[in-house]
Amino acid sequence: MVDPVTSSHLQDRSLDAQEPLTGRNGIGAKLRDAHRAYNRLLQARLGEEGVSLGIWYFLCALWQQDGISQRELSRRVGTMEPTTVSALAQMERRGLVQRQRDPLDQRRRVVRLTPEGQALRERVRPHHELLETPEQFGLSAAQVAQLGELLDRVSETLERSTAGMPPPEGA
């Protein structure tokens, strides 16, 4: 007997195979699927330290350079400023960051990690490093290096393609 769920799924895949640039076979869909799977695993690992994906990328940016403006933090993480403000409020409540007025420009808010925010880096490092091993991706070290180069090329090419385009509505 044919399982209707499996049968339907196989039919969907066969239709996608006829149109390789659409559906699940498209590069964008594959990148999205890989990104989602990676984020699920990353969230599970970070969750052991009480860190959500919502604040992970902000922490990473601040670990790279502490004491940057909210606007610069938004730019580096790639989020809208209201999203950044919400994440920072959550991080402030948890005692991970402090927002202060810039003494040189009172309109700017500078974000600084607290000692707790700094210490969190060492606690989550092993969880993140475990995710970045070739074995985790099912690839060899050479394949991971090649994949990284290919993804960099894709990102750079797409960024150049969108450089002259107007920002999307609401951005």
Side-chain angles (χ1 to χ4, degrees):
M1 183 168 160
V2 175
D3 177 9
V5 174
T6 305
S7 176
S8 172
H9 177 68
L10 291 174
Q11 288 173 347
D12 290 345
R13 289 182 62 96
S14 66
L15 290 175
D16 286 345
Q18 295 170 8
E19 300 180 43
L21 298 179
T22 62
R24 296 181 53 83
N25 287 328
I27 294 297
K30 290 181 182 300
L31 288 170
R32 184 190 66 234
D33 289 347
H35 184 252
R36 285 179 174 170
Y38 180 86
N39 277 348
R40 279 191 301 275
L41 187 54
L42 178 60
Q43 179 60 73
R45 299 267 190 227
L46 296 175
E48 295 174 23
E49 293 296 335
V51 175
S52 70
L53 279 178
I55 65 171
W56 167 249
Y57 296 104
F58 294 99
L59 286 168
C60 288
L62 290 167
W63 288 329
Q64 287 178 354
Q65 184 177 353
D66 196 9
I68 58 177
S69 71
Q70 287 183 182
R71 178 165 286 162
E72 177 61 16
L73 187 57
S74 288
R75 190 191 66 73
R76 289 185 187 195
V77 175
T79 57
M80 304 287 286
E81 288 188 49
T83 301
T84 300
V85 169
S86 294
L88 290 174
Q90 178 187 3
M91 293 167 71
E92 229 171 9
R93 284 191 300 275
R94 289 195 49 200
L96 301 174
V97 298
Q98 291 179 329
R99 290 182 279 183
Q100 305 162 337
R101 294 274 177 212
D102 185 334
L104 301 175
D105 183 350
Q106 290 293 306
R107 295 170 296 175
R108 285 179 38 156
R109 302 276 308 253
V110 175
V111 183
R112 298 196 187 285
L113 289 162
T114 63
E116 174 64 21
Q118 289 285 1
L120 187 58
R121 181 180 192 173
E122 294 309 312
R123 292 199 321 262
V124 298
R125 181 186 307 259
H127 300 288
H128 184 253
E129 286 175 352
L130 188 62
L131 285 176
E132 294 295 322
T133 62
E135 299 81 26
Q136 189 68 53
F137 295 106
L139 302 171
S140 70
Q143 289 172 318
V144 168
Q146 183 180 22
L147 178 60
E149 291 170 8
L150 291 170
L151 290 172
D152 285 345
R153 188 183 319 163
V154 167
S155 294
E156 290 165 7
T157 302
L158 293 174
E159 286 296 326
R160 280 195 306 272
S161 296
T162 60
M165 296 176 74
E169 279 189 44

